[in-house]
Amino acid sequence: KRDESAKDMTLEDMCGRGCYLGVDLSEGGDLTSISFLFPLEDGKVFVESQSFIPVHSLEKHEQTDAAPYRRWSNMGLLTPTNGIDTYGLKTDYKAVIKYIADVQEKYNIRIVEVGYDDRNASAFLTDLAGVVNCDLTLIVQSAKSLNDATVDFRLSVAGGAVYHNKQNELLTWSMSHAVIVENNYNQIKIDKLTRNRRIDPCDALIDAWKCYFTKKKTDEQMVSNDSAVKEMVGF
């Protein structure tokens, strides 16, 4: 399915559409990621992501994570931040807010719901509420909460219903490091393969998918489990 799902599509191709936004905030100097999910016709969706990292963490994480962060920064997939309040040591959430505001304005994108993990989210949400006109939904990061959405996401990817920008190497990389873990009740969620294998864009995407999946079950008009540990269905 990888060749079928990788498309020459970007946010520019989504001009004028509605989308769900997932937000995965970082702790300290790690990656912060946001993911966009656009419902398309015929049950398809297009997903895209953008990540952020403190400028002083970029080189360190490039070594510890064995990932080409500078390359991804040059490609526009990763934004190094150097905010006056964070001194390049922590992700500047104001840069994330600005990016979201700029994308909405540039492409006339309508964010219909934001799904977020509540880690470090209080101040960020206050600023976010000033640039989006939609519900901000807390996504509980448990297998019980995420099971149905995660199952639906896996099936949608396997069925070729999820398109993504084939140039987004960071999103593809994070997907390849996501695994499925199962609780005692056979409910599943994603987790990282190892500590230094970042899955932040994937986490943000699942948050967006949870909103999309919940909405899809209750309103079909939004368009204009296996063993304990398994590999995630990647792009």
Side-chain angles (χ1 to χ4, degrees):
K1 299 298 180 184
R2 291 174 181 163
D3 290 340
E4 295 177 9
S5 64
K7 302 291 184 182
D8 285 315
M9 300 171 70
T10 67
L11 290 177
E12 187 173 1
D13 297 294
M14 299 295 112
C15 282
R17 288 187 177 270
C19 77
Y20 296 91
L21 179 68
V23 177
D24 184 73
L25 302 175
S26 64
E27 296 181 1
D30 292 338
L31 285 184
T32 282
S33 296
I34 60 175
S35 289
F36 300 88
L37 186 160
F38 295 87
L40 306 176
E41 292 71 25
D42 302 322
K44 310 289 189 186
V45 302
F46 172 70
V47 299
E48 180 64 295
S49 71
Q50 181 71 21
S51 294
F52 304 81
I53 193 170
V55 65
H56 292 310
S57 296
L58 193 150
E59 185 173 351
K60 180 186 78 171
H61 280 303
E62 192 167 49
Q63 297 174 4
T64 59
D65 301 355
Y69 287 137
R70 278 175 290 188
R71 167 183 164 82
W72 291 337
S73 174
N74 292 335
M75 293 174 65
L77 305 173
L78 177 65
T79 302
T81 69
N82 192 21
I84 189 171
D85 298 330
T86 61
Y87 305 102
L89 300 174
K90 297 194 300 182
T91 298
D92 180 10
Y93 288 159
K94 288 182 171 56
V96 182
I97 296 293
K98 184 178 186 306
Y99 180 87
I100 293 170
D102 289 348
V103 164
Q104 287 184 111
E105 181 177 358
K106 183 175 181 179
Y107 301 118
N108 190 28
I109 286 172
R110 178 173 53 92
I111 298 174
V112 299
E113 187 174 1
V114 176
Y116 68 93
D117 176 355
D118 66 348
R119 290 179 307 168
N120 310 306
S122 57
F124 176 84
L125 292 176
T126 300
D127 290 340
L128 182 62
V131 299
V132 299
N133 183 24
C134 65
D135 290 335
L136 308 180
T137 303
L138 171 63
I139 306 298
V140 178
Q141 302 296 304
S142 68
K144 179 180 179 180
S145 168
L146 296 172
N147 178 76
D148 292 350
T150 304
V151 170
D152 187 66
F153 176 68
R154 292 182 71 193
L155 293 174
S156 298
V157 171
V162 182
Y163 298 154
H164 67 99
N165 175 5
K166 70 179 184 181
Q167 301 298 326
N168 194 334
E169 298 175 4
L170 177 49
L171 176 59
T172 304
W173 179 78
S174 75
M175 289 291 300
S176 71
H177 295 138
V179 296
I180 291 293
V181 294
E182 189 175 275
N183 67 12
N184 293 334
Y185 300 97
N186 299 319
Q187 297 165 323
I188 65 172
K189 59 172 286 189
I190 66 167
D191 201 351
K192 60 182 65 176
L193 186 59
T194 64
R195 187 174 68 87
N196 291 329
R197 293 295 182 259
R198 313 288 171 187
I199 61 169
D200 306 82
C202 189
D203 278 334
L205 178 52
I206 292 294
D207 289 343
W209 199 280
K210 168 81 172 183
C211 296
Y212 165 66
F213 175 75
T214 303
K215 182 75 171 180
K216 186 170 63 171
K217 289 196 301 182
T218 59
D219 182 1
E220 295 296 335
Q221 299 178 10
M222 173 60 195
V223 170
S224 303
N225 293 341
D226 304 299
S227 62
V229 178
K230 295 190 175 178
E231 289 187 4
M232 186 68 172
V233 177
F235 296 143

